[in-house]
Amino acid sequence: PAGRPAAALPPATATIAEETLRDTREADGELGFGPAASVTNRMRGTVTWLPGGDDVITRGEPLYKVDDDPVVLMYGSTPAYRDLAVGAEGRDVASLERNLSKLGYDGFTVDDTYTWATARAVMAWQEDRGLPETGVVELGRVVFADGRVRVDTVDAEAGRPAAPGQKVLGYTGTAKVVTVQLDSEDRRLAKEGAKVTVTLPGGQEVRGKITEVATVIVPGQGNEEPQTKVEALVSLTGEKAADLDQAAVDVRFTAEERENVLTVPVAALVALREGGFGVEVVEGGATRYVPVETGLFSGGRVEITGDGLTEGMTVGMAK
């Protein structure tokens, strides 16, 4: 396109830069141990022992006791939902057998079938814990969790009756995580496995990674309607957060990153008569319009591509 004389030069100019452009967003987060899960009792009797808040319980240890018999933590992703005995098959059987093997019991094959060999290992395990040696793991004797747990709340009382369906305690994982809630339209920011930057109290920055993303419903207050939010859990890298208790933190998400691209201020874009956008390149005492394709917008700048455009060129801007 033809240029225009110096008398008509733009009122302000900017320089085309080559840089890495990031689509970022900051959100408030809470440093803690993440959401809590509940342990629901399945046994009948009397609660005779409970752990304390913040206690850490590992594989094979009791979560609580009913009639002085332990309800035992084991690791696995499939919840216990039935008695396990000879002839049972399934993922819960495989989880039980893996745990028995890790606890030092042998003589059986770790698979998804509960055999007589499994039952003999179970009887040895029951004997070691003072349980009746039946070879059957009754529903409620074992609680499966993803790993070791930290007691978050204790909801039962020692000496009180234990009834099926009663919440006994709440637990979390043992690693510090950051919980962030985003508006549903910002879901693009929360992708499992994506890296984020977390600013701790005092201004220290640590790297983090999104480990879990879920949709949650936040109840409205007063007459407000419930809101749908995207909740992200972020694991932290390094030890800087290990000694912190619950704390408010800032989380910086990067939805998209474009490396080594040409950028100009958004205000440098002009609408062309033939359609689309362009930039007004200033060369000496004249200017010319160059059509551009726009890419990522971030922080008041925009990625552009166009014929003959290079880093360092001067472009016009509105006041």
Side-chain angles (χ1 to χ4, degrees):
R4 66 179 183 180
L9 288 178
T13 60
T15 301
I16 296 178
E18 183 178 304
E19 60 183 334
T20 296
L21 205 59
R22 296 179 178 89
D23 177 12
T24 61
R25 162 82 186 278
E26 289 197 356
D28 295 333
E30 182 180 340
L31 175 66
F33 291 95
S38 297
V39 173
T40 301
N41 179 60
R42 298 297 189 97
M43 317 299 290
R44 292 190 181 276
T46 300
V47 178
T48 53
W49 178 84
L50 290 160
D54 288 327
D55 282 1
V56 173
I57 299 171
T58 60
R59 187 200 321 262
E61 294 181 343
L63 284 162
Y64 63 101
K65 292 182 180 181
V66 176
D67 291 349
D68 214 29
D69 289 336
V71 172
V72 178
L73 175 69
M74 290 190 177
Y75 300 168
S77 58
T78 301
Y81 64 94
R82 57 176 175 168
D83 293 346
L84 294 180
V86 174
E89 297 183 1
R91 290 183 297 175
D92 51 347
V93 174
S95 291
L96 174 70
E97 291 184 341
R98 276 195 299 271
N99 280 273
L100 290 172
S101 177
K102 291 288 186 180
L103 291 169
Y105 299 93
D106 54 22
F108 61 94
T109 301
V110 176
D111 55 19
D112 62 359
T113 302
Y114 198 116
T115 65
W116 283 108
T118 307
R120 286 192 291 270
V122 166
M123 284 188 278
W125 172 75
Q126 289 170 329
E127 180 183 15
D128 289 343
R129 278 149 188 80
L131 297 168
E133 297 168 43
T134 62
V136 176
V137 180
E138 72 270 41
L139 177 60
R141 182 59 62 200
V142 166
V143 173
F144 289 111
D146 289 337
R148 63 180 190 157
V149 302
R150 166 193 160 271
V151 178
D152 186 55
T153 60
V154 178
D155 302 280
E157 291 182 41
R160 304 284 292 180
Q166 169 191 9
K167 181 182 176 183
V168 178
L169 56 84
Y171 68 85
T172 67
T174 59
K176 291 288 180 64
V177 296
V178 174
T179 303
V180 190
Q181 286 190 348
L182 300 167
D183 293 333
S184 55
E185 58 264 28
D186 291 328
R187 175 174 284 275
R188 64 188 173 82
L189 298 172
K191 296 180 180 178
E192 196 166 319
K195 294 180 180 179
V196 301
T197 301
V198 179
T199 304
L200 302 173
Q204 291 179 314
E205 289 190 349
V206 295
R207 299 292 293 173
K209 184 172 74 171
I210 299 175
T211 57
E212 188 176 334
V213 179
T215 300
V216 298
I217 305 298
V218 178
Q221 296 183 353
N223 295 325
E224 295 179 353
E225 294 290 327
Q227 292 183 309
T228 301
K229 296 282 189 177
V230 175
E231 186 172 87
L233 297 185
V234 176
S235 65
L236 300 181
T237 303
E239 299 298 323
K240 291 182 180 179
D243 296 331
L244 288 175
D245 292 324
Q246 288 191 339
V249 297
D250 292 323
V251 182
R252 186 166 68 249
F253 295 85
T254 301
E256 188 177 355
E257 182 174 298
R258 301 280 292 167
E259 293 186 357
N260 304 322
V261 295
L262 298 180
T263 73
V264 294
V266 174
L269 293 178
V270 293
L272 301 178
R273 278 181 295 184
E274 59 268 30
F277 290 101
V279 291
E280 186 178 8
V281 176
V282 180
E283 295 173 323
T287 70
R288 59 189 175 90
Y289 290 95
V290 177
V292 298
E293 294 289 336
T294 59
L296 182 63
F297 287 75
S298 178
R301 298 188 70 86
V302 57
E303 172 192 357
I304 59 168
T305 54
D307 288 344
L309 297 180
T310 60
E311 180 184 14
M313 281 183 167
T314 300
V315 294
M317 287 179 58
K319 281 186 179 179

